[in-house]
Amino acid sequence: MLSSLVSGLSAVVLILIFSRMAWNHTVLLTLLPTVLILIVLAGVESAAVKDGKNTEAQGPSKRVFMPASDASNFFKRRGRRSPRTYEEYYAEQRVKMATNERRREHYEEQSNEHENYLEEERDEQNERTREKNEQWREFNYDGQYSRYPHHRPYV
């Protein structure tokens, strides 16, 4: 209905422009559809504004939208220097404790990884040292005496 009215009025405006009528009539007829559209759209409610009739929201919008009374008092609820409620204090403490727990777990994991790295490095170094010592003993052994003095037989 509205689109047919607008298209009809725009056709009338074009006819008036091409028929060289007075400019004040052309401007008046050009503004008429705009005024009619604004009048019709003034009665439409916005989707973002809730009138409070349907306060029960469904789905994920339940967490986003709140009643108008709560929304108007959201920032006025508490001044900067006024004491916090127990719920606010407890919520902040839970957040801090969770953050500290995550930090502690991260540092513990880093410490364990570093200890494992050091242990592997020590094991590799000990293995290399043992192999070098064995190679040195094999190279310097002349076959007459056993490697260690306490392994020598009594003569």
Side-chain angles (χ1 to χ4, degrees), residues 35-68:
V35 171
L36 288 174
I37 289 173
L38 290 175
I39 290 172
V40 169
L41 291 180
V44 176
E45 287 188 30
S46 174
V49 177
K50 294 191 174 230
D51 58 353
K53 293 177 186 172
N54 185 9
T55 57
E56 189 65 34
Q58 291 108 12
S61 64
K62 192 173 201 174
R63 295 182 300 232
V64 175
F65 294 110
M66 60 176 54

PDB file of all heavy atoms in Angstrom, residues 35-68:
ATOM      1  N   VAL A  35       6.785  13.461   4.033  1.00  0.00           N
ATOM      2  CA  VAL A  35       5.976  13.670   5.231  1.00  0.00           C
ATOM      3  C   VAL A  35       5.092  12.465   5.495  1.00  0.00           C
ATOM      4  O   VAL A  35       4.960  12.011   6.642  1.00  0.00           O
ATOM      5  CB  VAL A  35       5.149  14.969   5.090  1.00  0.00           C
ATOM      6  CG1 VAL A  35       4.148  15.100   6.223  1.00  0.00           C
ATOM      7  CG2 VAL A  35       6.055  16.170   5.029  1.00  0.00           C
ATOM      8  N   LEU A  36       4.484  11.911   4.458  1.00  0.00           N
ATOM      9  CA  LEU A  36       3.635  10.730   4.642  1.00  0.00           C
ATOM     10  C   LEU A  36       4.436   9.533   5.157  1.00  0.00           C
ATOM     11  O   LEU A  36       3.974   8.791   6.023  1.00  0.00           O
ATOM     12  CB  LEU A  36       2.927  10.384   3.329  1.00  0.00           C
ATOM     13  CG  LEU A  36       1.815  11.337   2.909  1.00  0.00           C
ATOM     14  CD1 LEU A  36       1.302  10.949   1.528  1.00  0.00           C
ATOM     15  CD2 LEU A  36       0.686  11.328   3.920  1.00  0.00           C
ATOM     16  N   ILE A  37       5.628   9.357   4.637  1.00  0.00           N
ATOM     17  CA  ILE A  37       6.472   8.236   5.106  1.00  0.00           C
ATOM     18  C   ILE A  37       6.837   8.427   6.565  1.00  0.00           C
ATOM     19  O   ILE A  37       6.796   7.483   7.371  1.00  0.00           O
ATOM     20  CB  ILE A  37       7.722   8.110   4.217  1.00  0.00           C
ATOM     21  CG1 ILE A  37       7.336   7.595   2.839  1.00  0.00           C
ATOM     22  CG2 ILE A  37       8.748   7.175   4.850  1.00  0.00           C
ATOM     23  CD1 ILE A  37       8.466   7.604   1.844  1.00  0.00           C
ATOM     24  N   LEU A  38       7.191   9.649   6.954  1.00  0.00           N
ATOM     25  CA  LEU A  38       7.530   9.898   8.352  1.00  0.00           C
ATOM     26  C   LEU A  38       6.336   9.692   9.274  1.00  0.00           C
ATOM     27  O   LEU A  38       6.481   9.186  10.390  1.00  0.00           O
ATOM     28  CB  LEU A  38       8.084  11.317   8.513  1.00  0.00           C
ATOM     29  CG  LEU A  38       9.474  11.547   7.911  1.00  0.00           C
ATOM     30  CD1 LEU A  38       9.845  13.016   8.036  1.00  0.00           C
ATOM     31  CD2 LEU A  38      10.497  10.666   8.578  1.00  0.00           C
ATOM     32  N   ILE A  39       5.155  10.060   8.833  1.00  0.00           N
ATOM     33  CA  ILE A  39       3.960   9.861   9.652  1.00  0.00           C
ATOM     34  C   ILE A  39       3.688   8.375   9.833  1.00  0.00           C
ATOM     35  O   ILE A  39       3.368   7.906  10.932  1.00  0.00           O
ATOM     36  CB  ILE A  39       2.749  10.584   9.021  1.00  0.00           C
ATOM     37  CG1 ILE A  39       2.934  12.100   9.156  1.00  0.00           C
ATOM     38  CG2 ILE A  39       1.447  10.142   9.668  1.00  0.00           C
ATOM     39  CD1 ILE A  39       1.904  12.896   8.392  1.00  0.00           C
ATOM     40  N   VAL A  40       3.819   7.607   8.753  1.00  0.00           N
ATOM     41  CA  VAL A  40       3.546   6.165   8.833  1.00  0.00           C
ATOM     42  C   VAL A  40       4.594   5.478   9.709  1.00  0.00           C
ATOM     43  O   VAL A  40       4.275   4.623  10.534  1.00  0.00           O
ATOM     44  CB  VAL A  40       3.519   5.547   7.418  1.00  0.00           C
ATOM     45  CG1 VAL A  40       3.509   4.032   7.489  1.00  0.00           C
ATOM     46  CG2 VAL A  40       2.316   6.054   6.663  1.00  0.00           C
ATOM     47  N   LEU A  41       5.867   5.863   9.564  1.00  0.00           N
ATOM     48  CA  LEU A  41       6.925   5.205  10.317  1.00  0.00           C
ATOM     49  C   LEU A  41       6.969   5.645  11.777  1.00  0.00           C
ATOM     50  O   LEU A  41       7.620   4.995  12.591  1.00  0.00           O
ATOM     51  CB  LEU A  41       8.280   5.466   9.661  1.00  0.00           C
ATOM     52  CG  LEU A  41       8.492   4.792   8.312  1.00  0.00           C
ATOM     53  CD1 LEU A  41       9.874   5.122   7.773  1.00  0.00           C
ATOM     54  CD2 LEU A  41       8.315   3.293   8.412  1.00  0.00           C
ATOM     55  N   ALA A  42       6.320   6.727  12.127  1.00  0.00           N
ATOM     56  CA  ALA A  42       6.313   7.169  13.514  1.00  0.00           C
ATOM     57  C   ALA A  42       5.552   6.195  14.403  1.00  0.00           C
ATOM     58  O   ALA A  42       5.848   6.066  15.594  1.00  0.00           O
ATOM     59  CB  ALA A  42       5.708   8.573  13.625  1.00  0.00           C
ATOM     60  N   GLY A  43       4.610   5.488  13.849  1.00  0.00           N
ATOM     61  CA  GLY A  43       3.833   4.526  14.631  1.00  0.00           C
ATOM     62  C   GLY A  43       4.534   3.200  14.835  1.00  0.00           C
ATOM     63  O   GLY A  43       4.125   2.389  15.661  1.00  0.00           O
ATOM     64  N   VAL A  44       5.624   2.943  14.123  1.00  0.00           N
ATOM     65  CA  VAL A  44       6.338   1.674  14.221  1.00  0.00           C
ATOM     66  C   VAL A  44       7.281   1.731  15.412  1.00  0.00           C
ATOM     67  O   VAL A  44       8.003   2.684  15.619  1.00  0.00           O
ATOM     68  CB  VAL A  44       7.130   1.413  12.916  1.00  0.00           C
ATOM     69  CG1 VAL A  44       7.949   0.145  13.061  1.00  0.00           C
ATOM     70  CG2 VAL A  44       6.189   1.317  11.752  1.00  0.00           C
ATOM     71  N   GLU A  45       7.267   0.657  16.225  1.00  0.00           N
ATOM     72  CA  GLU A  45       8.182   0.591  17.355  1.00  0.00           C
ATOM     73  C   GLU A  45       9.530   0.081  16.887  1.00  0.00           C
ATOM     74  O   GLU A  45       9.627  -0.741  15.997  1.00  0.00           O
ATOM     75  CB  GLU A  45       7.638  -0.366  18.417  1.00  0.00           C
ATOM     76  CG  GLU A  45       6.471   0.170  19.180  1.00  0.00           C
ATOM     77  CD  GLU A  45       6.111  -0.739  20.331  1.00  0.00           C
ATOM     78  OE1 GLU A  45       7.021  -1.400  20.854  1.00  0.00           O
ATOM     79  OE2 GLU A  45       4.940  -0.778  20.688  1.00  0.00           O
ATOM     80  N   SER A  46      10.551   0.563  17.525  1.00  0.00           N
ATOM     81  CA  SER A  46      11.892   0.115  17.201  1.00  0.00           C
ATOM     82  C   SER A  46      12.117  -1.269  17.804  1.00  0.00           C
ATOM     83  O   SER A  46      11.588  -1.601  18.857  1.00  0.00           O
ATOM     84  CB  SER A  46      12.914   1.102  17.766  1.00  0.00           C
ATOM     85  OG  SER A  46      14.201   0.590  17.580  1.00  0.00           O
ATOM     86  N   ALA A  47      12.942  -2.061  17.142  1.00  0.00           N
ATOM     87  CA  ALA A  47      13.228  -3.412  17.638  1.00  0.00           C
ATOM     88  C   ALA A  47      14.160  -3.376  18.841  1.00  0.00           C
ATOM     89  O   ALA A  47      14.181  -4.296  19.633  1.00  0.00           O
ATOM     90  CB  ALA A  47      13.842  -4.246  16.527  1.00  0.00           C
ATOM     91  N   ALA A  48      14.932  -2.321  18.973  1.00  0.00           N
ATOM     92  CA  ALA A  48      15.899  -2.258  20.065  1.00  0.00           C
ATOM     93  C   ALA A  48      15.267  -1.813  21.379  1.00  0.00           C
ATOM     94  O   ALA A  48      15.807  -2.059  22.439  1.00  0.00           O
ATOM     95  CB  ALA A  48      17.033  -1.304  19.705  1.00  0.00           C
ATOM     96  N   VAL A  49      14.118  -1.152  21.324  1.00  0.00           N
ATOM     97  CA  VAL A  49      13.476  -0.650  22.530  1.00  0.00           C
ATOM     98  C   VAL A  49      12.387  -1.621  22.942  1.00  0.00           C
ATOM     99  O   VAL A  49      11.531  -1.978  22.154  1.00  0.00           O
ATOM    100  CB  VAL A  49      12.870   0.758  22.287  1.00  0.00           C
ATOM    101  CG1 VAL A  49      12.146   1.240  23.513  1.00  0.00           C
ATOM    102  CG2 VAL A  49      13.933   1.710  21.857  1.00  0.00           C
ATOM    103  N   LYS A  50      12.426  -2.036  24.201  1.00  0.00           N
ATOM    104  CA  LYS A  50      11.402  -2.944  24.711  1.00  0.00           C
ATOM    105  C   LYS A  50      10.425  -2.146  25.569  1.00  0.00           C
ATOM    106  O   LYS A  50      10.832  -1.289  26.332  1.00  0.00           O
ATOM    107  CB  LYS A  50      12.042  -4.052  25.526  1.00  0.00           C
ATOM    108  CG  LYS A  50      12.886  -4.955  24.677  1.00  0.00           C
ATOM    109  CD  LYS A  50      13.272  -6.160  25.466  1.00  0.00           C
ATOM    110  CE  LYS A  50      13.984  -7.095  24.530  1.00  0.00           C
ATOM    111  NZ  LYS A  50      13.479  -8.408  24.588  1.00  0.00           N
ATOM    112  N   ASP A  51       9.154  -2.453  25.435  1.00  0.00           N
ATOM    113  CA  ASP A  51       8.154  -1.709  26.199  1.00  0.00           C
ATOM    114  C   ASP A  51       7.832  -2.365  27.534  1.00  0.00           C
ATOM    115  O   ASP A  51       7.027  -1.857  28.283  1.00  0.00           O
ATOM    116  CB  ASP A  51       6.875  -1.530  25.375  1.00  0.00           C
ATOM    117  CG  ASP A  51       6.289  -2.877  24.946  1.00  0.00           C
ATOM    118  OD1 ASP A  51       6.951  -3.896  25.180  1.00  0.00           O
ATOM    119  OD2 ASP A  51       5.178  -2.889  24.395  1.00  0.00           O
ATOM    120  N   GLY A  52       8.440  -3.481  27.840  1.00  0.00           N
ATOM    121  CA  GLY A  52       8.240  -4.121  29.126  1.00  0.00           C
ATOM    122  C   GLY A  52       7.083  -5.110  29.147  1.00  0.00           C
ATOM    123  O   GLY A  52       6.847  -5.765  30.143  1.00  0.00           O
ATOM    124  N   LYS A  53       6.323  -5.201  28.078  1.00  0.00           N
ATOM    125  CA  LYS A  53       5.195  -6.141  28.053  1.00  0.00           C
ATOM    126  C   LYS A  53       5.695  -7.575  28.006  1.00  0.00           C
ATOM    127  O   LYS A  53       5.182  -8.440  28.689  1.00  0.00           O
ATOM    128  CB  LYS A  53       4.306  -5.855  26.833  1.00  0.00           C
ATOM    129  CG  LYS A  53       3.595  -4.523  26.918  1.00  0.00           C
ATOM    130  CD  LYS A  53       2.805  -4.277  25.666  1.00  0.00           C
ATOM    131  CE  LYS A  53       2.204  -2.864  25.694  1.00  0.00           C
ATOM    132  NZ  LYS A  53       1.600  -2.530  24.415  1.00  0.00           N
ATOM    133  N   ASN A  54       6.707  -7.816  27.195  1.00  0.00           N
ATOM    134  CA  ASN A  54       7.274  -9.159  27.088  1.00  0.00           C
ATOM    135  C   ASN A  54       8.664  -9.130  27.723  1.00  0.00           C
ATOM    136  O   ASN A  54       9.664  -8.964  27.044  1.00  0.00           O
ATOM    137  CB  ASN A  54       7.353  -9.589  25.622  1.00  0.00           C
ATOM    138  CG  ASN A  54       7.817 -11.021  25.489  1.00  0.00           C
ATOM    139  OD1 ASN A  54       7.914 -11.739  26.482  1.00  0.00           O
ATOM    140  ND2 ASN A  54       8.098 -11.438  24.270  1.00  0.00           N
ATOM    141  N   THR A  55       8.711  -9.288  29.039  1.00  0.00           N
ATOM    142  CA  THR A  55       9.996  -9.232  29.728  1.00  0.00           C
ATOM    143  C   THR A  55      10.745 -10.553  29.656  1.00  0.00           C
ATOM    144  O   THR A  55      11.931 -10.602  29.945  1.00  0.00           O
ATOM    145  CB  THR A  55       9.805  -8.853  31.209  1.00  0.00           C
ATOM    146  OG1 THR A  55       8.932  -9.799  31.814  1.00  0.00           O
ATOM    147  CG2 THR A  55       9.229  -7.452  31.320  1.00  0.00           C
ATOM    148  N   GLU A  56      10.079 -11.624  29.294  1.00  0.00           N
ATOM    149  CA  GLU A  56      10.722 -12.925  29.211  1.00  0.00           C
ATOM    150  C   GLU A  56      11.384 -13.089  27.853  1.00  0.00           C
ATOM    151  O   GLU A  56      10.728 -13.167  26.826  1.00  0.00           O
ATOM    152  CB  GLU A  56       9.682 -14.033  29.421  1.00  0.00           C
ATOM    153  CG  GLU A  56      10.277 -15.415  29.577  1.00  0.00           C
ATOM    154  CD  GLU A  56      11.125 -15.534  30.823  1.00  0.00           C
ATOM    155  OE1 GLU A  56      10.804 -14.903  31.832  1.00  0.00           O
ATOM    156  OE2 GLU A  56      12.111 -16.275  30.776  1.00  0.00           O
ATOM    157  N   ALA A  57      12.706 -13.097  27.824  1.00  0.00           N
ATOM    158  CA  ALA A  57      13.437 -13.261  26.571  1.00  0.00           C
ATOM    159  C   ALA A  57      13.802 -14.726  26.399  1.00  0.00           C
ATOM    160  O   ALA A  57      13.916 -15.476  27.360  1.00  0.00           O
ATOM    161  CB  ALA A  57      14.687 -12.405  26.570  1.00  0.00           C
ATOM    162  N   GLN A  58      13.981 -15.127  25.138  1.00  0.00           N
ATOM    163  CA  GLN A  58      14.334 -16.513  24.861  1.00  0.00           C
ATOM    164  C   GLN A  58      15.716 -16.566  24.241  1.00  0.00           C
ATOM    165  O   GLN A  58      16.133 -15.660  23.541  1.00  0.00           O
ATOM    166  CB  GLN A  58      13.335 -17.142  23.888  1.00  0.00           C
ATOM    167  CG  GLN A  58      11.961 -17.331  24.497  1.00  0.00           C
ATOM    168  CD  GLN A  58      10.948 -16.364  23.925  1.00  0.00           C
ATOM    169  OE1 GLN A  58      11.212 -15.728  22.943  1.00  0.00           O
ATOM    170  NE2 GLN A  58       9.812 -16.280  24.571  1.00  0.00           N
ATOM    171  N   GLY A  59      16.415 -17.685  24.502  1.00  0.00           N
ATOM    172  CA  GLY A  59      17.693 -17.953  23.863  1.00  0.00           C
ATOM    173  C   GLY A  59      18.818 -17.062  24.375  1.00  0.00           C
ATOM    174  O   GLY A  59      18.818 -16.608  25.509  1.00  0.00           O
ATOM    175  N   PRO A  60      19.788 -16.794  23.486  1.00  0.00           N
ATOM    176  CA  PRO A  60      20.947 -16.018  23.903  1.00  0.00           C
ATOM    177  C   PRO A  60      20.618 -14.567  24.233  1.00  0.00           C
ATOM    178  O   PRO A  60      21.349 -13.904  24.941  1.00  0.00           O
ATOM    179  CB  PRO A  60      21.892 -16.082  22.712  1.00  0.00           C
ATOM    180  CG  PRO A  60      21.241 -16.907  21.687  1.00  0.00           C
ATOM    181  CD  PRO A  60      19.899 -17.299  22.153  1.00  0.00           C
ATOM    182  N   SER A  61      19.483 -14.059  23.723  1.00  0.00           N
ATOM    183  CA  SER A  61      19.134 -12.667  24.019  1.00  0.00           C
ATOM    184  C   SER A  61      18.772 -12.479  25.480  1.00  0.00           C
ATOM    185  O   SER A  61      18.739 -11.365  25.974  1.00  0.00           O
ATOM    186  CB  SER A  61      17.982 -12.210  23.129  1.00  0.00           C
ATOM    187  OG  SER A  61      16.825 -12.960  23.417  1.00  0.00           O
ATOM    188  N   LYS A  62      18.526 -13.564  26.168  1.00  0.00           N
ATOM    189  CA  LYS A  62      18.199 -13.470  27.593  1.00  0.00           C
ATOM    190  C   LYS A  62      19.377 -12.908  28.381  1.00  0.00           C
ATOM    191  O   LYS A  62      19.208 -12.185  29.350  1.00  0.00           O
ATOM    192  CB  LYS A  62      17.836 -14.858  28.110  1.00  0.00           C
ATOM    193  CG  LYS A  62      17.213 -14.862  29.475  1.00  0.00           C
ATOM    194  CD  LYS A  62      16.745 -16.253  29.801  1.00  0.00           C
ATOM    195  CE  LYS A  62      15.699 -16.187  30.872  1.00  0.00           C
ATOM    196  NZ  LYS A  62      15.107 -17.479  31.121  1.00  0.00           N
ATOM    197  N   ARG A  63      20.590 -13.187  27.936  1.00  0.00           N
ATOM    198  CA  ARG A  63      21.768 -12.679  28.622  1.00  0.00           C
ATOM    199  C   ARG A  63      22.103 -11.256  28.205  1.00  0.00           C
ATOM    200  O   ARG A  63      22.813 -10.564  28.902  1.00  0.00           O
ATOM    201  CB  ARG A  63      22.959 -13.577  28.310  1.00  0.00           C
ATOM    202  CG  ARG A  63      22.807 -14.975  28.851  1.00  0.00           C
ATOM    203  CD  ARG A  63      24.038 -15.760  28.540  1.00  0.00           C
ATOM    204  NE  ARG A  63      24.223 -15.797  27.090  1.00  0.00           N
ATOM    205  CZ  ARG A  63      24.406 -16.889  26.398  1.00  0.00           C
ATOM    206  NH1 ARG A  63      24.456 -18.038  26.984  1.00  0.00           N
ATOM    207  NH2 ARG A  63      24.566 -16.857  25.097  1.00  0.00           N
ATOM    208  N   VAL A  64      21.605 -10.809  27.053  1.00  0.00           N
ATOM    209  CA  VAL A  64      21.968  -9.506  26.533  1.00  0.00           C
ATOM    210  C   VAL A  64      21.008  -8.428  27.003  1.00  0.00           C
ATOM    211  O   VAL A  64      21.405  -7.386  27.494  1.00  0.00           O
ATOM    212  CB  VAL A  64      22.024  -9.532  24.994  1.00  0.00           C
ATOM    213  CG1 VAL A  64      22.294  -8.154  24.440  1.00  0.00           C
ATOM    214  CG2 VAL A  64      23.076 -10.506  24.532  1.00  0.00           C
ATOM    215  N   PHE A  65      19.707  -8.669  26.838  1.00  0.00           N
ATOM    216  CA  PHE A  65      18.709  -7.661  27.161  1.00  0.00           C
ATOM    217  C   PHE A  65      18.333  -7.731  28.629  1.00  0.00           C
ATOM    218  O   PHE A  65      18.321  -8.790  29.238  1.00  0.00           O
ATOM    219  CB  PHE A  65      17.458  -7.848  26.300  1.00  0.00           C
ATOM    220  CG  PHE A  65      17.715  -7.599  24.849  1.00  0.00           C
ATOM    221  CD1 PHE A  65      17.704  -8.636  23.941  1.00  0.00           C
ATOM    222  CD2 PHE A  65      17.986  -6.324  24.396  1.00  0.00           C
ATOM    223  CE1 PHE A  65      17.946  -8.407  22.607  1.00  0.00           C
ATOM    224  CE2 PHE A  65      18.223  -6.081  23.064  1.00  0.00           C
ATOM    225  CZ  PHE A  65      18.204  -7.128  22.169  1.00  0.00           C
ATOM    226  N   MET A  66      18.009  -6.582  29.189  1.00  0.00           N
ATOM    227  CA  MET A  66      17.559  -6.513  30.568  1.00  0.00           C
ATOM    228  C   MET A  66      16.359  -5.573  30.614  1.00  0.00           C
ATOM    229  O   MET A  66      16.150  -4.792  29.694  1.00  0.00           O
ATOM    230  CB  MET A  66      18.673  -6.014  31.481  1.00  0.00           C
ATOM    231  CG  MET A  66      19.195  -4.639  31.153  1.00  0.00           C
ATOM    232  SD  MET A  66      20.428  -4.019  32.321  1.00  0.00           S
ATOM    233  CE  MET A  66      21.633  -5.285  32.341  1.00  0.00           C
ATOM    234  N   PRO A  67      15.567  -5.649  31.646  1.00  0.00           N
ATOM    235  CA  PRO A  67      14.406  -4.757  31.743  1.00  0.00           C
ATOM    236  C   PRO A  67      14.841  -3.296  31.766  1.00  0.00           C
ATOM    237  O   PRO A  67      15.959  -2.962  32.163  1.00  0.00           O
ATOM    238  CB  PRO A  67      13.748  -5.151  33.063  1.00  0.00           C
ATOM    239  CG  PRO A  67      14.253  -6.515  33.356  1.00  0.00           C
ATOM    240  CD  PRO A  67      15.600  -6.627  32.723  1.00  0.00           C
ATOM    241  N   ALA A  68      13.933  -2.416  31.347  1.00  0.00           N
ATOM    242  CA  ALA A  68      14.267  -0.997  31.237  1.00  0.00           C
ATOM    243  C   ALA A  68      14.618  -0.398  32.596  1.00  0.00           C
ATOM    244  O   ALA A  68      15.489   0.467  32.694  1.00  0.00           O
ATOM    245  CB  ALA A  68      13.101  -0.238  30.614  1.00  0.00           C
TER     246      ALA A  68
END
